[in-house]
Structures are given as structure tokens and as C-alpha cells.
Amino acid sequence: MFGGTLTEFATSLVDDIATRETVVADVDEDIVDAIRGALLLRSVVDDALARLAAQAARVGTAKRSGMSEREVLCRNGAAPAAASRYIRVGRAIGVVEGLTRLSRDGSLSSEHVDAIVRGIDHVARRTGEPIGSDLIDRVERSLTATATAGASPAEVLSRARAAAIEHTATADPEDESIPVAENPVLNDMGYTRTADGRLRGEFDLDAVTAERLVSAIDAGSKPRPEPDGSDDPRPAALRRADAFAQLIECGTRNFAVESAPAPPRSELILTMPVGVADLDSESTAARLQWMGPISDFAAKLASCDAAVTGIGHDLDGAPLDISATRRLFTGAVRKQIEWRDQSCVKCGAPASWTDCHHIVHFADGGPTTVDNGCLLCRSCHTAVHHSGWDVVMGHDRHPWLIPPASIDPFRRPLPAYNRRTLQLDDRLTAA
């Protein structure tokens, strides 16, 4: 429907807008009118991107390209947050009829449309009402009216939360279903890594879990007088944070998965470059498994009570090989491969979801070694075995993917997912 025709139209439109920009008069009314027109155009374009994202997901474009839907958008110029928004809106339009019309004609910005989508989803999850029910239809109309009246996206979401609470408060008192406040199925937790290397998050917990959390933090955050009897100098927020850190430490000591040993309290992965003549003290970086690099001081402190894994790597960032005669990738060999690949080499799924794939099949004499293994999630593993994808180990000792001819007639090698954003030197090519 769109294809090259839309690209050609967009190119001509860009040229036209660039020309018009220089002739907008320095009159307030004209400037405001131009802003209004530009925002309308942006909303319509965002709607097209949301529909294209939905189409790409529906027909499997991203999967066949060896990328996630979000990566397809980002690789073509979308910011990560905008890409996530396009995906959410794309999944909703066509299902919520009124929202579909407002998104298509540019009546609302994509941020407002996204807020309505998230609000509807929030109410549906909190109440158990399906999309298309009378309640959800009323919520949709209410949120849409709130947005068109000039409310911000944050205010639209606030109205959705209020609607969920309002419906719960007026529910049938004889209804024996689990109250929203006590339903653990609705629990939610999210976190993001900040620019300064810290972790910021939020959670939404049922009352019982919240009670346990608050009780534990309250017990651990009581002021502790100094040795000389003076007051605890820590503010209340810092005492709660310290208690939360201790709660996590105590929990991981006793946590155990059924039929498996308890995990380490925390794990330090120490990267150690090998073969560098002028190795200075900053070349060896300690990394926490989830939070990345830490200082030497923090590494020494944590290593007093943590599992430590040392990984030596060469100048290309590939771990030194460890030989093994067993068929399955376990222990140190698996850790080395996880450290190198970080995720599924084809689609970027988390390492914990992946299998270790023998590049040269074990049945064909392939060894169970770092240089003959790579991480693949189950669906990508199936694609490598049955859908024409190949994996080879490059001269840089990192895995490279060869797409089938149906995707790339020239079968040009793709670097592993975690390395696609790197600026690789031209001399680094797949074997």
C-alpha cells in the first residue's frame, strides 16, 4: 500500500515544507497556523508509522530480518521511546474503533493516543473487563474527551487510574472475586538504567505483598545511634534505601529454586584483557551482571561476599577459549559465551531465554567450546536449523549470521545482535 510510493511522496513533501519554511511571514497568526499544520502532519505521520509497525509484526518482517520490531524502527531513524510508542499504538488501532479514527485523521498527537491506549489497558487489567465491553467503551470515550479538551498525556493516564479505582469502589458488594487491592496478578514492576549508571524504578503491588515490603523496610530502617550515642545522621529516605539493599541481600542468601542450589548473593564478572603490553590499572574493569562497570573499591567490597567469575578476553573482546568434551554448554563455558554474546545473537532475547547452539553441530564433530558456541533463543534456534539461517564464527571470534537467500540474495553476514551498533573496522569480516 505504501512502499516506494510513500517514500517518494514523503521526499517531495519534505522538499515542499523546506521551501515553505523560508516564506512564513513574521506574523503571530501565520506562525501559529504553521505550527498547527506541522503538528497535524506529524500526527498523521506517527499514525502511519504505528500502522506500519503493526503490519511488520503481523507478517513477520522483523523476525525475518533477524531483528525485533523495535530495532527495525530504531535502525530506520526512530528514537527508542518513540519506537515503543508506535508499537503500542499499532497494536491498539483497529481494535479500538474510536481511537482508530482519531489517530488516522491526526486529531490527537501520538503521545495522547498512546496515553489513551495505556489508560484503557490499565483499566482493563484492573477490572478484568475485556476490550469492547461497555465499561471499556465508556472509559475510552472519557479518556478521549479528556485528551481533546486539552489535557496532557499524564493527565489522561491519571484519569484512567481514577476510573479503575472508581469502578472498583462501586463494584457489587456480593461479588466474591479478589479485590483489586489484593490481586497479585495485577502486580507490576519496571526499572530503567539512568544516564549516570544508577537504577530507577517503580512498582505496583498488592496489599499483602506491599505490607510485607513496608514491614521489612520499616524494621530495617529504624535510626541507629552512633557509637557515641548521637543520632543517626542518615535521612529517612537513605535509611529506607539501606534497608531495601539489606532486604535484597538477605533474600538472595535464602532464595532457592526447587531442585536447584541457591544462587550466589551477587555475581561479579571481572574482564581481564590478555596480551596487552601496556596494561594499565583501568584496563581491567569489574562488572556487575546487570548494572555494568563498577569501581575497584566497590568490586573489592562486594567480592568479600559474592561469587566472582574471571573472564580473560582478547583485543577483539572475545573470551579466551575453554575446551570441554561434554555435549551441553555448562559452567564456565556457558558463562564465557553469555559474557561475549549478551543475548540471542539473532533477535536480542535475554541470555536467560537462550540455548547454546553448536555452530559446527556436535553430531558432525563440533566441540563444546567457546569458539563453537553462540546464544540463540528457542525460535531463532529453530530458524537456524530449519529456515535457512546459518551461523559462522568470524575471524574476530564473534558469531556472525548468514541470512537465507530469500531475505538477502547476496547472503551478506550480519554481526551478532549485541554488536550491530558497533562501528566495525572494514577488515573484520566473517569467515
Side-chain angles (χ1 to χ4, degrees):
M1 175 180 176
F2 292 122
T5 302
L6 182 59
T7 302
E8 294 170 1
F9 173 72
T11 301
S12 63
L13 189 59
V14 167
D15 293 340
D16 185 45
I17 292 175
T19 302
R20 289 176 179 272
E21 183 181 9
T22 61
V23 298
V24 174
D26 291 334
V27 178
D28 292 346
E29 291 79 1
D30 290 346
I31 294 174
V32 171
D33 182 67
I35 290 173
R36 189 181 298 111
L39 288 173
L40 176 62
L41 181 61
R42 175 183 180 271
S43 298
V44 172
V45 170
D46 282 346
D47 174 75
L49 284 166
R51 293 174 187 278
L52 289 169
Q55 183 180 3
R58 185 173 63 254
V59 304
T61 299
K63 195 71 173 178
R64 288 194 298 273
S65 301
M67 295 181 284
S68 65
E69 299 163 30
R70 189 168 180 266
E71 188 184 10
V72 169
L73 290 164
C74 291
R75 288 284 295 272
N76 286 279
S84 298
R85 186 170 67 247
Y86 296 143
I87 292 170
R88 282 194 300 269
V89 173
R91 290 170 180 168
I93 56 178
V95 177
V96 184
E97 185 176 348
L99 192 63
T100 303
R101 183 180 62 257
L102 291 171
S103 177
R104 183 187 291 274
D105 64 17
S107 299
L108 292 174
S109 71
S110 62
E111 290 84 1
H112 283 90
V113 174
D114 182 48
I116 296 173
V117 169
R118 293 165 61 192
I120 291 173
D121 178 67
H122 175 79
V123 175
R125 286 189 296 107
R126 285 304 181 94
T127 62
E129 292 284 340
I131 301 298
S133 66
D134 290 342
L135 172 65
I136 299 302
D137 286 344
R138 291 199 304 272
V139 169
E140 178 210 336
R141 291 193 294 271
S142 174
L143 297 183
T144 300
T146 301
T148 54
S152 68
E155 290 170 332
V156 172
L157 285 172
S158 178
R159 178 70 190 96
R161 287 190 290 269
I165 294 172
E166 178 183 357
H167 174 75
T168 305
T170 58
D172 184 353
E174 297 183 1
D175 186 357
E176 297 181 357
S177 60
I178 301 176
V180 170
E182 300 174 8
N183 191 347
V185 175
L186 302 176
N187 288 357
D188 189 16
M189 180 177 182
Y191 46 81
T192 56
R193 187 176 177 182
T194 63
D196 55 3
R198 299 178 64 83
L199 190 72
R200 180 178 295 276
E202 59 182 13
F203 51 77
D204 184 356
L205 304 175
D206 65 274
V208 175
T209 303
E211 179 72 13
R212 291 171 179 161
L213 176 63
V214 174
S215 297
I217 291 179
D218 179 70
S221 62
K222 297 184 184 302
R224 295 193 300 267
E226 294 291 279
D228 61 2
S230 59
D231 293 339
D232 191 333
R234 300 174 299 163
L238 178 57
R239 296 201 311 270
R240 288 193 293 270
D242 289 344
F244 185 62
Q246 187 61 46
L247 179 64
I248 295 171
E249 183 70 14
C250 293
T252 53
R253 289 181 185 180
N254 298 299
F255 178 76
V257 179
E258 184 178 355
S259 73
R265 299 174 180 86
S266 54
E267 183 171 12
L268 289 178
I269 298 178
L270 303 177
T271 60
M272 299 171 291
V274 176
V276 182
D278 299 322
L279 184 63
D280 57 41
S281 60
E282 295 182 356
S283 298
T284 302
R287 297 179 61 91
L288 292 174
Q289 185 175 12
W290 298 108
M291 295 299 294
I294 58 175
S295 68
D296 290 343
F297 176 80
K300 290 175 182 177
L301 183 63
S303 63
C304 292
D305 197 23
V308 178
T309 300
I311 297 180
H313 63 85
D314 60 22
L315 296 179
D316 289 316
L320 299 181
D321 201 11
I322 295 178
S323 298
T325 57
R326 293 176 296 180
R327 180 177 67 85
L328 299 178
F329 291 92
T330 57
V333 179
R334 167 94 189 191
K335 286 183 181 293
Q336 295 265 30
I337 294 173
E338 287 183 350
W339 178 84
R340 181 195 65 202
D341 296 348
Q342 301 178 23
S343 61
C344 172
V345 298
K346 184 172 180 288
C347 74
S352 58
W353 297 6
T354 62
D355 304 322
C356 264
H357 166 71
H358 284 81
I359 295 174
V360 177
H361 298 317
F362 185 81
D364 297 331
T368 306
T369 59
V370 173
D371 281 349
N372 193 47
C374 69
L375 299 183
L376 288 171
C377 70
R378 188 55 55 91
S379 61
C380 291
H381 205 164
T382 301
V384 167
H385 279 275
H386 301 292
S387 300
W389 283 85
D390 290 323
V391 181
V392 298
M393 186 61 68
H395 294 307
D396 55 359
R397 298 185 56 236
H398 284 271
W400 289 69
L401 292 135
I402 311 281
S406 59
I407 291 177
D408 180 0
F410 299 100
R411 305 202 72 193
R412 289 165 290 200
L414 294 169
Y417 185 91
N418 67 304
R419 306 185 79 227
R420 289 181 198 159
T421 58
L422 300 178
Q423 297 297 320
L424 298 178
D425 191 83
D426 292 336
R427 64 183 175 83
L428 298 180
T429 55

